[in-house]
Amino acid sequence: MSVLLTATDLSVSYGKVVAVHNIAIELPGSGIVTLIGANGAGKSTTLLSLMGVLPAKGKVMFDGIDITRSPVEERVEMGISLVSEKRDLFSSMSVEDNLRLGCYRRNRSHGGEALEEVFGRFPRLKERRHQLAATLSGGERQMLAMGRALMARPRLLMLDEPSLGLAPLIVRDIFRIVTDLKDSGIAILLIEQNARAALEVASAGYVMELGEITTHGPAGELINDRRLIESYLGIRQ
Amino acid sequence: MDSTITLFLVQDGLINGSIYALLAVAFVLLFAVTRIIFVAQGDFVAYGGLTFAALQQGSVPGSIWLLAGLGVIAGILEFLRERHTLTRPRILGILAGDFIAPLALVGVVILVAPYDMPYLFDMALALALVVPMGPYIYRICFRPMANASVLVLLIGSVGVHWLMIGLGLLFFGAEGYRAAPMFGANFVVGPVLVSAQSLLVMGATLALLVGFYLFFGRTLAGKALMAAAVNARGASLVGISPSFSGRTAFLMAAFVGAISGILISPLTTLYYDSGFLIGLKGFVAAIVAGFASFPLAVAGAIAIGIAEAVSAFFASAFKEVIVFSLILPVLIWRSIRAPHHEED
Ligand SMILES: Nc1ncnc2c1ncn2[C@@H]1O[C@H](COP(=O)(O)OP(=O)(O)O)[C@@H](O)[C@H]1O
Ligand SMILES: [Mg+2]
């Protein structure tokens, strides 16, 4: 399968603290790859740097083009979207305005179709299209953040803990939507606290510990890895 | 105090309040988008008004040299910043936008200044000279320190303010100017005399405020700017570049300042340093609004304008003292009432 993104020797620091140290990641053009690891391992930092939000050392190639020095807006234009851990919604603006701004840089000429598509995927957002984003529930906020990212019709969608803080029923919805998106052909990089659930939908996984990638491989292998089972996966529920 | 005086004071207060309202909106906008408390906001009022007055009198305004200088510096910085990624169209773009356009404008001004040009032409020319200074100042001073703290940005803006005052003295001299009004007419409305110019100021303010409202509420560019103000990282995640938002916010702030100066230049004598006090009152209105709410900023500005007119009537020597003391209770009330917002 073709390679969409490769990051090599990627390091990210907050001031003097090195949060991500010399990692390498390779993402295929389709399917889900998951990034798992304990809190503070550096997962969110990795995604923010791949998006260009945080400056990083190393090299990032996307679709054969060196984007190491590209600012965020250029990466958006090329088809990378990030749903950040904080969602980063425009809270004092309406649901519809949030979505419409999602195609500010990319796919603007098909904004209307994209909006209908997002409303089809998230009917709740359609019902609440005139409501302010601040008035949404946690699950709806997550849907809005995902919907906003999808408005640009990205080729690579990076999701940072989309199920964080949501009720189990809604988590199930979110996972169903993530697998739907995968089936529609978008490449997905997924950070997830529930490592077992993530590995069950993913084709490959990377395990991060203290800013470094310690293990990676096909999801089917990782899910049976004895050491991983002990530290992250727990007993099958 | 009879009703004639009351109405007169209200009229006076409304005119000043309108200008403060415009400046307050500019303060709020600029702060929301860039986190810069732009102390030099008022200097654009003086530059706009004095540049316009100079053109009206048929002399060449010294501010042209600032525009040319800023353009060249911004252009050189742009070349340095992008030296690794420069393409031919980009080089031509920088040359045209930062070198040729400002220098051509300077040439035009030197050529046409001695002639008596129509009022609107001089107005447009003054705007064309002063407004681009906003984005240039952003690019030269503030973009390089986009991640600095609010305090460092504030220090930067104080620096810009002193620079503009110093250069203002050089360009316009120490004496004040007053431009001729666009319409000399006066109307008698009931017991008060209303000058056409004051109606023009209020009308233009209203039009600009409505314009802002439509821009932010109806256009994608306006919503993008608002989005950058509401959540900077969210905005960058959808591809709204921070430097675009910064330039646009500075453009609007400079425009608001310059047009305010042009509008009031026939009503009051402007000096090179008049902008500071005018800006300060807009700033106070912005504080009243917690640097967040546009309608509150406008209401606060109008209230300050009227308070100022009333105190000028009763104790003109203490006008500023009274106005700024009146602010204190509001600020105390706000600091008690307003919770500290978490960034979301
Ligand atoms: N804004 C920040 N400033 C300083 N340190 C940070 C910041 N964000 C995260 N860190 C640190 O970087 C490390 C990695 O954090 P993060 O990428 O958020 O981990 P994860 O997403 O895996 O939980 C942690 O030690 C965290 O404390
Ligand atoms: Mg995280």
Side-chain angles (χ1 to χ4, degrees):
Chain A
M1 197 180 300
S2 66
V3 173
L4 185 59
L5 180 140
T6 28
T8 36
D9 292 329
L10 198 71
S11 297
V12 193
S13 318
Y14 293 103
K16 281 184 182 145
V17 182
V18 182
V20 169
H21 184 63
N22 270 346
I23 64 166
I25 287 183
E26 191 174 284
L27 302 177
S30 62
I32 300 175
V33 173
T34 181
L35 186 57
I36 55 185
N39 253 330
K43 307 180 297 293
S44 298
T45 305
T46 303
L47 259 56
L48 288 168
S49 74
L50 290 179
M51 194 65 229
V53 174
L54 292 176
K57 280 193 222 132
K59 186 173 179 183
V60 185
M61 302 281 292
F62 183 75
D63 200 20
I65 297 168
D66 187 343
I67 59 164
T68 313
R69 288 165 167 278
S70 305
V72 185
E73 62 270 15
E74 277 174 27
R75 301 185 196 213
V76 172
E77 199 164 340
M78 296 178 76
I80 309 179
S81 283
L82 168 67
V83 176
S84 65
E85 198 170 2
K86 291 197 170 143
R87 321 313 196 213
D88 286 315
L89 297 174
F90 309 125
S91 51
S92 60
M93 301 174 82
S94 73
V95 166
E96 184 168 336
D97 280 348
N98 270 269
L99 291 173
R100 286 195 184 278
L101 283 165
C103 56
Y104 179 82
R105 175 71 52 175
R106 184 179 150 93
N107 195 37
R108 197 191 291 183
S109 52
H110 297 101
E113 291 161 44
L115 189 67
E116 284 317 308
E117 206 177 297
V118 166
F119 282 155
R121 225 179 261 289
F122 304 101
R124 289 280 277 280
L125 295 182
K126 187 168 188 174
E127 287 164 26
R128 299 192 175 354
R129 64 198 288 176
H130 300 300
Q131 242 171 271
L132 296 187
T135 64
L136 297 183
S137 72
E140 290 161 352
R141 291 170 67 79
Q142 180 56 37
M143 290 176 196
L144 181 55
M146 287 173 71
R148 188 180 70 182
L150 289 172
M151 287 294 293
R153 295 233 168 98
R155 302 172 63 192
L156 170 63
L157 178 64
M158 303 194 286
L159 299 170
D160 194 344
E161 302 206 29
S163 65
L164 186 71
L166 303 183
L169 267 181
I170 300 169
V171 172
R172 219 184 51 193
D173 276 356
I174 298 276
F175 263 88
R176 183 182 48 74
I177 289 162
V178 171
T179 32
D180 280 356
L181 288 173
K182 175 201 68 174
D183 294 338
S184 74
I186 302 180
I188 294 172
L189 178 56
L190 173 70
I191 295 182
E192 184 45 61
Q193 271 300 310
N194 186 339
R196 179 174 296 283
L199 285 170
E200 271 163 8
V201 295
S203 54
Y206 287 81
V207 181
M208 268 191 108
E209 282 172 63
L210 299 174
E212 304 197 24
I213 289 189
T214 49
T215 319
H216 69 99
E221 279 173 30
L222 293 179
I223 214 165
N224 294 314
D225 184 313
R226 180 162 299 281
R227 204 179 64 88
L228 282 186
I229 292 172
E230 277 163 14
S231 34
Y232 300 110
L233 302 180
I235 298 152
R236 185 184 279 275
Q237 286 120 4
Chain B
M1 190 161 77
D2 64 29
S3 62
T4 312
I5 294 176
T6 313
L7 283 174
F8 175 77
L9 292 180
V10 167
Q11 184 199 352
D12 217 29
L14 280 178
I15 295 169
N16 289 337
S18 308
I19 297 299
Y20 303 154
L22 285 177
L23 295 177
V25 166
F27 273 117
V28 171
L29 171 72
L30 209 55
F31 181 76
V33 174
T34 62
R35 296 178 306 120
I36 298 167
I37 297 170
F38 194 49
V39 182
Q41 176 67 53
D43 299 326
F44 281 94
V45 179
Y47 270 60
L50 291 171
T51 301
F52 174 65
L55 290 171
Q56 283 277 289
Q57 289 172 351
S59 52
V60 174
S63 45
I64 55 171
W65 303 117
L66 181 60
L67 177 75
L70 288 173
V72 169
I73 295 172
I76 291 173
L77 287 179
E78 202 73 44
F79 277 130
L80 289 176
R81 214 170 59 91
E82 296 183 13
R83 61 188 176 280
H84 298 296
T85 53
L86 279 175
T87 55
R88 224 182 130 82
R90 185 73 190 121
I91 294 174
L92 293 177
I94 295 172
L95 281 177
D98 296 339
F99 294 86
I100 297 171
L103 290 172
L105 201 58
V106 165
V108 168
V109 171
I110 292 174
L111 281 179
V112 305
Y115 301 100
D116 197 13
M117 296 311 250
Y119 202 92
L120 281 176
F121 179 85
D122 281 347
M123 220 166 142
L125 201 54
L127 285 176
L129 286 172
V130 177
V131 175
M133 292 178 188
Y136 281 145
I137 287 173
Y138 169 74
R139 285 168 53 193
I140 295 170
C141 309
F142 295 107
R143 184 165 60 183
M145 50 180 192
N147 298 317
S149 67
V150 170
L151 183 63
V152 171
L153 292 171
L154 173 63
I155 293 168
S157 88
V158 171
V160 170
H161 164 63
W162 286 113
L163 200 74
M164 284 186 77
I165 294 262
L167 291 174
L169 179 59
L170 191 71
F171 296 149
F172 305 114
E175 66 273 38
Y177 291 97
R178 186 187 273 241
M182 186 168 182
F183 308 110
N186 291 310
F187 310 101
V188 180
V189 179
V192 243
L193 191 69
V194 179
S195 74
Q197 184 69 25
S198 59
L199 287 182
L200 181 69
V201 171
M202 288 189 258
T205 302
L206 202 64
L208 279 173
L209 291 177
V210 170
F212 280 140
Y213 177 78
L214 293 177
F215 175 68
F216 287 118
R218 301 280 165 82
T219 69
L220 191 66
K223 284 177 180 174
L225 199 57
M226 192 51 91
V230 173
N231 188 320
R233 195 165 76 180
S236 103
L237 287 179
V238 297
I240 300 164
S241 94
S243 122
F244 167 79
S245 325
R247 285 195 320 261
T248 313
F250 266 84
L251 186 85
M252 295 180 75
F255 174 73
V256 163
I259 193 107
S260 302
I262 293 171
L263 284 171
I264 58 166
S265 62
L267 294 172
T268 178
T269 305
L270 282 174
Y271 297 84
Y272 71 100
D273 61 352
S274 296
F276 184 66
L277 261 189
I278 301 174
L280 194 58
K281 285 165 198 149
F283 178 67
V284 167
I287 296 179
V288 168
F291 271 99
S293 158
F294 291 107
L296 260 185
V298 171
I302 302 282
I304 290 169
I306 290 177
E308 181 187 40
V310 173
S311 48
F313 179 75
F314 287 109
S316 68
F318 298 104
K319 177 177 91 165
E320 314 294 357
V321 180
I322 295 173
V323 169
F324 288 116
S325 322
L326 281 177
I327 305 305
L328 284 177
V330 180
L331 291 186
I332 293 170
W333 177 74
R334 268 204 78 90
S335 65
I336 296 170
R337 266 284 314 278
H340 292 275
H341 295 286
E342 286 282 318
E343 179 102 6
D344 72 328

